[in-house]
Amino acid sequence: MGNVLVWIIWVVAAFACVSTGIAVISFTNPFYSALALIGNLASLAVLFLLASAEFVAAAQILVYAGAVMVMFLFVIAYLGGRADAPWAGGPRWLQLGAFVVGAAILIEVIVALATKASGGLSSDAEISRSFGSPAEIGKLFLTDHLLAFEITSIVLLVAAVGGVVLGMKTLAEDEA
Amino acid sequence: MLGPSTTWYVAVAGVLFGIGTTGVILRRSPLIVLLSLEIMLNASNLALVGFSRHFASVDGQIFAISVMAVAAAEVCVGLGLIVAFTRRNMALDVDTLTELRG
Amino acid sequence: MIAGAWLCLLAPLAGALLITLAGTHLSRAAAGWISTLSVFVGFAGALVAFLQVAGESADERSHTSTAYTWLAAGKFQVAMQILVDPVSLTMMLIITGVGGLIVWYSMGYMKGEDEERRYFAYMALFVFSMLMLVMGGNLLLLLVGWGLVGLASYLLIGFYHDRPEAIAAAKKAFLMNAIGDAAMALGFFLLIAKTGSLDFSTAFDAASSGQLSPNTANLVALGLLGGAVAKSAQLPLHTWLPDAMEGPTPVSALIHAATMVTAGVYLIVRTHAIFEAAPNVQHLSAIIGGVTIVVAGLIALVQWDIKRVIAYSTMSQIGYMFLAAGIGAYGYAMFHLLTHAFFKALLFLAAGVIIHHLAGEQDVRKMGGLRKVMPYTHAVFLVGALALAGIPPLSGFWSKDGIIASALAEGGVLGYTLLVLGLLGGFLTGAYTFRLYYLVFHGEPSELVLEHAGGHMHEAERAHGHGEHAHGEGPLSMLAPVGVLAVLAAIGGLIVIPGLWEPFLTWIDGVAEPLVTASVTQDYATSAAAVALAGIGIWLARWAFVAGRELVPASALRTVFEHKFYFDEIYDALFSRPAQLVANRLRDDVEVPVVQRSLGEIGTGVKEAAGGTARLQSGLLRSYALVIAGSVFVLMVVFVAVR
């Protein structure tokens, strides 16, 4: 029973994932695309939960869907009409190439999985109850992966500074 | 493990990655390109989480969180660029940015 | 004695180096003195060596002195050594003696010319090179001297480098000599291959003991003969000698009469062992000599340039020497070399006095009647002419007749043919020499002569002082050597009187035994015939002059002679034009399109490739993204496949 439930939820979430993904790249209006992406993120969070990654799922909703997408929506709103861009265009081969490459990568992944990745994905390991819990993540961040933690914070700092600089009104611009 | 095995998670990640790639190359608006980029990053996050579950190692999730942080930073800078375009009255069209022409 | 020999070799070299290094710090006269004195010091050294060697018995007369090992390549070794024996001593004395007189003469002749110091340095260099040639103790050093005299000849012929004719003549001489050098080198290579060494003793012993196969001996001898023919201006490599008269007259006297052109004769005498092992080649050299005697004599009959007549005469007389060496009469070959050096140098220098007096005029048609104006020159020239024609008791008579007698003694088809050629040559010599004599000295003085004559009506035995021709026939430095040579030309032949006294022949015999000796009867018989023919030639020349006619009446014949039997034209058509054609073809088809254009093509090609590659940089961001995505796909496939 539990298994069936999990399966059903999983299928629904996966389906939502893929369809919202397709929706993101097909809408003309960027606002709709951004909203579709929020849906995508939410379904991904469900999938994370099903994979016992609770903290990551929470972070996904809070940070990604909550902050990043909101920022996106702000900018799209600010841009208003100017955000409308032609859907596609340009060289034919480029458009064709886009689909080809996307399909190629997809097929390649499926093929790799179908061949069972040479037996790499045969057996799932057992996990403990605290797998994916914030305590676990915190412990690792502050011990094994301390460097990654610190560098990530520096990256965020740099991005913040960069964002401010990009958004600054320069003197030349003022005159213009 | 309850539900689908790791294979399915990775499959979905692959599909999402393909969709993201198509979007990056196909669309002309920089905003949509950024959104497609987000899809690709999320796809990799999904794969990471799936594998972390498979090998019972939390390192995968740590990696996923770092990716998320970096993606946030990147979006911040990217949107700043787009706003700067608008400030300078440049068209929001990736095909017009040809100064790298050799 | 050995010290004397080394001094002889090195003194002129020292002189040349000194003049070269001192440059303009030396005055011009000082350069002349240094050059002359260095050669005379060499003569002193040679004289000392000669006196010592003359006192030794015939067996002991060959001395070798080694300074150091010059070249060592495995088993092949060449030492820096000199050989002092009768033959080389004879040559040394001639070179430094006559050479010294000529260099002294040049001090007066070249006075005031451009770049005098260069001339004197070259003259000293030449004397050194020629000495190296004759004193070299092995074939390689001989070749070194051989090449150096070719170089000195080139430098001196082209001395007046402003004149294109002089430069062309120098090039021609060098090229034709190079053909001979190449032949000689090939012969030497063969010798090294077969005997492993270039020492005289090894080579000659191998030749005389039959170690060398007939083919080898023939080829080596042919190579040597080729070199000798080129250097001595015999047919067919003779066309450079008349052109070489573009050089200053003392150069013509020293290089192209007395010494360098006789190097071929020296070579044959020195390597006679190899020639005796290849009798066909030896006879070939005699035939070449014989033919050259006649051809050169015929051409000399119609020349108008005083120096060219004497040049063809040189060619002809060397033919006599080749004839002698070819039948094995080595003693007489060297003897004629000696006497020829005296009277030919005398004739050239006397001609030089005339040319100098007439301010550079060389055309005999513009001369005439110089007998009254230049009595001293007239006297010495007459002595030289008589010696050349072979009139007893002057030197030329003794040597030339010895050769003709040897031809008679040889007998057989070869001997009798050579006898006829030699006698004919005697007739021609008398004719062309005295044609020249009469044209220059007899008759009414020409306008040119009268122009230059004004002011020296006083007839002095010897002109006094140095100075312009207004004060006499020429400066002392010019007239004195001429006088010495005249004396030598007159009495120099008396060292061989057949049947009575033959010290010179005995002197040479120790080194090169003659293959044929004429009996006294044969000697006197041929002498009579030769003198008679020479007399007829002289009388004919006088008759033609007095009658105002040409010696060669048939105009067709005369044209052939005037064009020197068309040798120049034939060579031009056979060698020069095709070479030019090939060179032009190569330039147009290979050099310009391939080499030159390819340089341009490389540039254009690179630009085009770059242009093509640049089109990849379209500036279209999406295409870049496509390429990146494609590469990622490829990499993924690779990773999966490799696993």
PDB file of all heavy atoms in Angstrom, chain C residues 87-114:
ATOM      1  N   VAL C  87     114.523  19.253 -60.717  1.00  0.00           N
ATOM      2  CA  VAL C  87     113.412  19.850 -61.475  1.00  0.00           C
ATOM      3  C   VAL C  87     112.816  21.021 -60.713  1.00  0.00           C
ATOM      4  O   VAL C  87     112.619  22.118 -61.250  1.00  0.00           O
ATOM      5  CB  VAL C  87     112.335  18.788 -61.773  1.00  0.00           C
ATOM      6  CG1 VAL C  87     111.094  19.438 -62.344  1.00  0.00           C
ATOM      7  CG2 VAL C  87     112.870  17.749 -62.722  1.00  0.00           C
ATOM      8  N   SER C  88     112.540  20.788 -59.427  1.00  0.00           N
ATOM      9  CA  SER C  88     111.903  21.885 -58.684  1.00  0.00           C
ATOM     10  C   SER C  88     112.864  23.042 -58.517  1.00  0.00           C
ATOM     11  O   SER C  88     112.445  24.207 -58.538  1.00  0.00           O
ATOM     12  CB  SER C  88     111.381  21.398 -57.335  1.00  0.00           C
ATOM     13  OG  SER C  88     112.449  21.014 -56.500  1.00  0.00           O
ATOM     14  N   LEU C  89     114.165  22.752 -58.387  1.00  0.00           N
ATOM     15  CA  LEU C  89     115.123  23.852 -58.252  1.00  0.00           C
ATOM     16  C   LEU C  89     115.164  24.691 -59.518  1.00  0.00           C
ATOM     17  O   LEU C  89     115.225  25.923 -59.457  1.00  0.00           O
ATOM     18  CB  LEU C  89     116.522  23.305 -57.949  1.00  0.00           C
ATOM     19  CG  LEU C  89     116.804  23.106 -56.466  1.00  0.00           C
ATOM     20  CD1 LEU C  89     118.099  22.373 -56.281  1.00  0.00           C
ATOM     21  CD2 LEU C  89     116.830  24.437 -55.745  1.00  0.00           C
ATOM     22  N   THR C  90     115.140  24.015 -60.679  1.00  0.00           N
ATOM     23  CA  THR C  90     115.104  24.771 -61.932  1.00  0.00           C
ATOM     24  C   THR C  90     113.928  25.730 -61.939  1.00  0.00           C
ATOM     25  O   THR C  90     114.064  26.918 -62.223  1.00  0.00           O
ATOM     26  CB  THR C  90     114.975  23.805 -63.124  1.00  0.00           C
ATOM     27  OG1 THR C  90     115.891  22.738 -62.961  1.00  0.00           O
ATOM     28  CG2 THR C  90     115.203  24.521 -64.420  1.00  0.00           C
ATOM     29  N   MET C  91     112.744  25.168 -61.589  1.00  0.00           N
ATOM     30  CA  MET C  91     111.551  26.021 -61.599  1.00  0.00           C
ATOM     31  C   MET C  91     111.674  27.144 -60.581  1.00  0.00           C
ATOM     32  O   MET C  91     111.303  28.284 -60.867  1.00  0.00           O
ATOM     33  CB  MET C  91     110.309  25.188 -61.288  1.00  0.00           C
ATOM     34  CG  MET C  91     109.964  24.146 -62.319  1.00  0.00           C
ATOM     35  SD  MET C  91     109.584  24.820 -63.930  1.00  0.00           S
ATOM     36  CE  MET C  91     108.072  25.679 -63.615  1.00  0.00           C
ATOM     37  N   MET C  92     112.218  26.814 -59.403  1.00  0.00           N
ATOM     38  CA  MET C  92     112.334  27.860 -58.378  1.00  0.00           C
ATOM     39  C   MET C  92     113.197  29.004 -58.870  1.00  0.00           C
ATOM     40  O   MET C  92     112.880  30.176 -58.687  1.00  0.00           O
ATOM     41  CB  MET C  92     112.960  27.261 -57.113  1.00  0.00           C
ATOM     42  CG  MET C  92     112.000  26.504 -56.242  1.00  0.00           C
ATOM     43  SD  MET C  92     112.818  25.310 -55.191  1.00  0.00           S
ATOM     44  CE  MET C  92     113.725  26.359 -54.103  1.00  0.00           C
ATOM     45  N   LEU C  93     114.328  28.641 -59.514  1.00  0.00           N
ATOM     46  CA  LEU C  93     115.224  29.696 -59.972  1.00  0.00           C
ATOM     47  C   LEU C  93     114.546  30.547 -61.030  1.00  0.00           C
ATOM     48  O   LEU C  93     114.648  31.776 -61.029  1.00  0.00           O
ATOM     49  CB  LEU C  93     116.512  29.087 -60.517  1.00  0.00           C
ATOM     50  CG  LEU C  93     117.446  28.527 -59.447  1.00  0.00           C
ATOM     51  CD1 LEU C  93     118.566  27.718 -60.083  1.00  0.00           C
ATOM     52  CD2 LEU C  93     118.014  29.656 -58.612  1.00  0.00           C
ATOM     53  N   ILE C  94     113.837  29.878 -61.954  1.00  0.00           N
ATOM     54  CA  ILE C  94     113.157  30.643 -63.002  1.00  0.00           C
ATOM     55  C   ILE C  94     112.121  31.569 -62.382  1.00  0.00           C
ATOM     56  O   ILE C  94     112.049  32.756 -62.697  1.00  0.00           O
ATOM     57  CB  ILE C  94     112.455  29.700 -64.009  1.00  0.00           C
ATOM     58  CG1 ILE C  94     113.490  28.848 -64.741  1.00  0.00           C
ATOM     59  CG2 ILE C  94     111.626  30.506 -64.993  1.00  0.00           C
ATOM     60  CD1 ILE C  94     112.845  27.851 -65.672  1.00  0.00           C
ATOM     61  N   ILE C  95     111.312  30.982 -61.487  1.00  0.00           N
ATOM     62  CA  ILE C  95     110.198  31.768 -60.949  1.00  0.00           C
ATOM     63  C   ILE C  95     110.706  32.976 -60.191  1.00  0.00           C
ATOM     64  O   ILE C  95     110.255  34.103 -60.402  1.00  0.00           O
ATOM     65  CB  ILE C  95     109.331  30.898 -60.020  1.00  0.00           C
ATOM     66  CG1 ILE C  95     108.691  29.758 -60.800  1.00  0.00           C
ATOM     67  CG2 ILE C  95     108.269  31.722 -59.337  1.00  0.00           C
ATOM     68  CD1 ILE C  95     108.105  28.702 -59.912  1.00  0.00           C
ATOM     69  N   THR C  96     111.647  32.747 -59.293  1.00  0.00           N
ATOM     70  CA  THR C  96     112.092  33.885 -58.491  1.00  0.00           C
ATOM     71  C   THR C  96     113.008  34.788 -59.284  1.00  0.00           C
ATOM     72  O   THR C  96     112.970  36.008 -59.132  1.00  0.00           O
ATOM     73  CB  THR C  96     112.818  33.418 -57.216  1.00  0.00           C
ATOM     74  OG1 THR C  96     113.776  32.419 -57.580  1.00  0.00           O
ATOM     75  CG2 THR C  96     111.826  32.835 -56.239  1.00  0.00           C
ATOM     76  N   GLY C  97     113.850  34.205 -60.175  1.00  0.00           N
ATOM     77  CA  GLY C  97     114.772  35.037 -60.942  1.00  0.00           C
ATOM     78  C   GLY C  97     114.027  35.907 -61.938  1.00  0.00           C
ATOM     79  O   GLY C  97     114.035  37.143 -61.859  1.00  0.00           O
ATOM     80  N   VAL C  98     113.369  35.253 -62.881  1.00  0.00           N
ATOM     81  CA  VAL C  98     112.632  36.021 -63.887  1.00  0.00           C
ATOM     82  C   VAL C  98     111.513  36.810 -63.220  1.00  0.00           C
ATOM     83  O   VAL C  98     111.261  37.975 -63.563  1.00  0.00           O
ATOM     84  CB  VAL C  98     112.076  35.071 -64.971  1.00  0.00           C
ATOM     85  CG1 VAL C  98     111.237  35.835 -65.949  1.00  0.00           C
ATOM     86  CG2 VAL C  98     113.203  34.357 -65.672  1.00  0.00           C
ATOM     87  N   GLY C  99     110.886  36.189 -62.250  1.00  0.00           N
ATOM     88  CA  GLY C  99     109.817  36.885 -61.543  1.00  0.00           C
ATOM     89  C   GLY C  99     110.316  38.138 -60.855  1.00  0.00           C
ATOM     90  O   GLY C  99     109.660  39.184 -60.891  1.00  0.00           O
ATOM     91  N   GLY C 100     111.466  38.030 -60.215  1.00  0.00           N
ATOM     92  CA  GLY C 100     112.008  39.207 -59.552  1.00  0.00           C
ATOM     93  C   GLY C 100     112.259  40.332 -60.544  1.00  0.00           C
ATOM     94  O   GLY C 100     111.929  41.501 -60.290  1.00  0.00           O
ATOM     95  N   LEU C 101     112.844  39.963 -61.705  1.00  0.00           N
ATOM     96  CA  LEU C 101     113.109  40.982 -62.720  1.00  0.00           C
ATOM     97  C   LEU C 101     111.811  41.634 -63.167  1.00  0.00           C
ATOM     98  O   LEU C 101     111.740  42.857 -63.353  1.00  0.00           O
ATOM     99  CB  LEU C 101     113.808  40.343 -63.924  1.00  0.00           C
ATOM    100  CG  LEU C 101     115.269  39.958 -63.707  1.00  0.00           C
ATOM    101  CD1 LEU C 101     115.783  39.143 -64.877  1.00  0.00           C
ATOM    102  CD2 LEU C 101     116.118  41.206 -63.517  1.00  0.00           C
ATOM    103  N   ILE C 102     110.770  40.812 -63.323  1.00  0.00           N
ATOM    104  CA  ILE C 102     109.497  41.365 -63.806  1.00  0.00           C
ATOM    105  C   ILE C 102     108.860  42.268 -62.752  1.00  0.00           C
ATOM    106  O   ILE C 102     108.296  43.318 -63.077  1.00  0.00           O
ATOM    107  CB  ILE C 102     108.556  40.236 -64.228  1.00  0.00           C
ATOM    108  CG1 ILE C 102     109.158  39.501 -65.422  1.00  0.00           C
ATOM    109  CG2 ILE C 102     107.177  40.768 -64.575  1.00  0.00           C
ATOM    110  CD1 ILE C 102     108.336  38.341 -65.884  1.00  0.00           C
ATOM    111  N   VAL C 103     108.927  41.854 -61.493  1.00  0.00           N
ATOM    112  CA  VAL C 103     108.322  42.700 -60.454  1.00  0.00           C
ATOM    113  C   VAL C 103     109.082  44.021 -60.361  1.00  0.00           C
ATOM    114  O   VAL C 103     108.486  45.092 -60.199  1.00  0.00           O
ATOM    115  CB  VAL C 103     108.287  41.990 -59.091  1.00  0.00           C
ATOM    116  CG1 VAL C 103     107.630  42.859 -58.051  1.00  0.00           C
ATOM    117  CG2 VAL C 103     107.544  40.681 -59.193  1.00  0.00           C
ATOM    118  N   TRP C 104     110.390  43.964 -60.531  1.00  0.00           N
ATOM    119  CA  TRP C 104     111.179  45.187 -60.541  1.00  0.00           C
ATOM    120  C   TRP C 104     110.724  46.076 -61.705  1.00  0.00           C
ATOM    121  O   TRP C 104     110.522  47.283 -61.546  1.00  0.00           O
ATOM    122  CB  TRP C 104     112.654  44.812 -60.684  1.00  0.00           C
ATOM    123  CG  TRP C 104     113.598  45.964 -60.612  1.00  0.00           C
ATOM    124  CD1 TRP C 104     113.373  47.205 -60.090  1.00  0.00           C
ATOM    125  CD2 TRP C 104     114.929  45.965 -61.093  1.00  0.00           C
ATOM    126  NE1 TRP C 104     114.485  47.976 -60.217  1.00  0.00           N
ATOM    127  CE2 TRP C 104     115.467  47.247 -60.827  1.00  0.00           C
ATOM    128  CE3 TRP C 104     115.735  45.002 -61.725  1.00  0.00           C
ATOM    129  CZ2 TRP C 104     116.763  47.591 -61.180  1.00  0.00           C
ATOM    130  CZ3 TRP C 104     117.030  45.359 -62.066  1.00  0.00           C
ATOM    131  CH2 TRP C 104     117.540  46.648 -61.799  1.00  0.00           C
ATOM    132  N   TYR C 105     110.557  45.447 -62.844  1.00  0.00           N
ATOM    133  CA  TYR C 105     110.079  46.163 -64.028  1.00  0.00           C
ATOM    134  C   TYR C 105     108.729  46.828 -63.757  1.00  0.00           C
ATOM    135  O   TYR C 105     108.492  47.974 -64.166  1.00  0.00           O
ATOM    136  CB  TYR C 105     109.967  45.152 -65.177  1.00  0.00           C
ATOM    137  CG  TYR C 105     109.330  45.629 -66.436  1.00  0.00           C
ATOM    138  CD1 TYR C 105     110.103  46.090 -67.496  1.00  0.00           C
ATOM    139  CD2 TYR C 105     107.948  45.580 -66.615  1.00  0.00           C
ATOM    140  CE1 TYR C 105     109.522  46.487 -68.681  1.00  0.00           C
ATOM    141  CE2 TYR C 105     107.371  45.987 -67.782  1.00  0.00           C
ATOM    142  CZ  TYR C 105     108.154  46.429 -68.820  1.00  0.00           C
ATOM    143  OH  TYR C 105     107.576  46.823 -69.987  1.00  0.00           O
ATOM    144  N   SER C 106     107.850  46.117 -63.033  1.00  0.00           N
ATOM    145  CA  SER C 106     106.520  46.684 -62.792  1.00  0.00           C
ATOM    146  C   SER C 106     106.575  47.938 -61.968  1.00  0.00           C
ATOM    147  O   SER C 106     105.662  48.755 -62.027  1.00  0.00           O
ATOM    148  CB  SER C 106     105.592  45.730 -62.041  1.00  0.00           C
ATOM    149  OG  SER C 106     105.942  44.432 -62.195  1.00  0.00           O
ATOM    150  N   MET C 107     107.661  48.067 -61.170  1.00  0.00           N
ATOM    151  CA  MET C 107     107.718  49.287 -60.369  1.00  0.00           C
ATOM    152  C   MET C 107     107.699  50.505 -61.268  1.00  0.00           C
ATOM    153  O   MET C 107     107.107  51.527 -60.928  1.00  0.00           O
ATOM    154  CB  MET C 107     108.981  49.287 -59.506  1.00  0.00           C
ATOM    155  CG  MET C 107     108.835  48.399 -58.305  1.00  0.00           C
ATOM    156  SD  MET C 107     110.332  48.267 -57.351  1.00  0.00           S
ATOM    157  CE  MET C 107     110.590  49.939 -56.884  1.00  0.00           C
ATOM    158  N   GLY C 108     108.363  50.375 -62.444  1.00  0.00           N
ATOM    159  CA  GLY C 108     108.332  51.498 -63.356  1.00  0.00           C
ATOM    160  C   GLY C 108     107.061  51.511 -64.184  1.00  0.00           C
ATOM    161  O   GLY C 108     106.446  52.550 -64.416  1.00  0.00           O
ATOM    162  N   TYR C 109     106.633  50.342 -64.610  1.00  0.00           N
ATOM    163  CA  TYR C 109     105.486  50.278 -65.519  1.00  0.00           C
ATOM    164  C   TYR C 109     104.201  50.719 -64.841  1.00  0.00           C
ATOM    165  O   TYR C 109     103.375  51.434 -65.406  1.00  0.00           O
ATOM    166  CB  TYR C 109     105.340  48.838 -66.018  1.00  0.00           C
ATOM    167  CG  TYR C 109     104.334  48.650 -67.118  1.00  0.00           C
ATOM    168  CD1 TYR C 109     104.674  48.851 -68.441  1.00  0.00           C
ATOM    169  CD2 TYR C 109     103.029  48.261 -66.831  1.00  0.00           C
ATOM    170  CE1 TYR C 109     103.760  48.669 -69.454  1.00  0.00           C
ATOM    171  CE2 TYR C 109     102.111  48.087 -67.842  1.00  0.00           C
ATOM    172  CZ  TYR C 109     102.484  48.289 -69.141  1.00  0.00           C
ATOM    173  OH  TYR C 109     101.567  48.103 -70.144  1.00  0.00           O
ATOM    174  N   MET C 110     103.997  50.248 -63.603  1.00  0.00           N
ATOM    175  CA  MET C 110     102.729  50.503 -62.921  1.00  0.00           C
ATOM    176  C   MET C 110     102.757  51.785 -62.118  1.00  0.00           C
ATOM    177  O   MET C 110     101.846  52.070 -61.362  1.00  0.00           O
ATOM    178  CB  MET C 110     102.400  49.349 -61.961  1.00  0.00           C
ATOM    179  CG  MET C 110     102.255  48.020 -62.622  1.00  0.00           C
ATOM    180  SD  MET C 110     100.861  47.965 -63.724  1.00  0.00           S
ATOM    181  CE  MET C 110      99.532  47.881 -62.576  1.00  0.00           C
ATOM    182  N   LYS C 111     103.823  52.561 -62.269  1.00  0.00           N
ATOM    183  CA  LYS C 111     103.920  53.754 -61.433  1.00  0.00           C
ATOM    184  C   LYS C 111     102.790  54.702 -61.775  1.00  0.00           C
ATOM    185  O   LYS C 111     102.572  55.038 -62.930  1.00  0.00           O
ATOM    186  CB  LYS C 111     105.261  54.429 -61.694  1.00  0.00           C
ATOM    187  CG  LYS C 111     105.525  55.597 -60.780  1.00  0.00           C
ATOM    188  CD  LYS C 111     106.957  56.037 -60.922  1.00  0.00           C
ATOM    189  CE  LYS C 111     107.108  57.423 -60.340  1.00  0.00           C
ATOM    190  NZ  LYS C 111     108.399  57.618 -59.722  1.00  0.00           N
ATOM    191  N   GLY C 112     102.089  55.133 -60.747  1.00  0.00           N
ATOM    192  CA  GLY C 112     101.017  56.085 -60.983  1.00  0.00           C
ATOM    193  C   GLY C 112      99.678  55.432 -61.320  1.00  0.00           C
ATOM    194  O   GLY C 112      98.677  56.125 -61.444  1.00  0.00           O
ATOM    195  N   GLU C 113      99.647  54.130 -61.421  1.00  0.00           N
ATOM    196  CA  GLU C 113      98.356  53.486 -61.719  1.00  0.00           C
ATOM    197  C   GLU C 113      97.502  53.462 -60.469  1.00  0.00           C
ATOM    198  O   GLU C 113      97.992  53.595 -59.364  1.00  0.00           O
ATOM    199  CB  GLU C 113      98.605  52.030 -62.157  1.00  0.00           C
ATOM    200  CG  GLU C 113      99.312  51.893 -63.462  1.00  0.00           C
ATOM    201  CD  GLU C 113      98.333  51.724 -64.590  1.00  0.00           C
ATOM    202  OE1 GLU C 113      97.126  51.691 -64.340  1.00  0.00           O
ATOM    203  OE2 GLU C 113      98.790  51.633 -65.730  1.00  0.00           O
ATOM    204  N   ASP C 114      96.217  53.232 -60.675  1.00  0.00           N
ATOM    205  CA  ASP C 114      95.337  53.098 -59.519  1.00  0.00           C
ATOM    206  C   ASP C 114      95.660  51.829 -58.754  1.00  0.00           C
ATOM    207  O   ASP C 114      95.893  50.786 -59.334  1.00  0.00           O
ATOM    208  CB  ASP C 114      93.883  52.970 -60.006  1.00  0.00           C
ATOM    209  CG  ASP C 114      93.252  54.328 -60.177  1.00  0.00           C
ATOM    210  OD1 ASP C 114      93.810  55.290 -59.636  1.00  0.00           O
ATOM    211  OD2 ASP C 114      92.238  54.404 -60.867  1.00  0.00           O
TER     212      ASP C 114
END
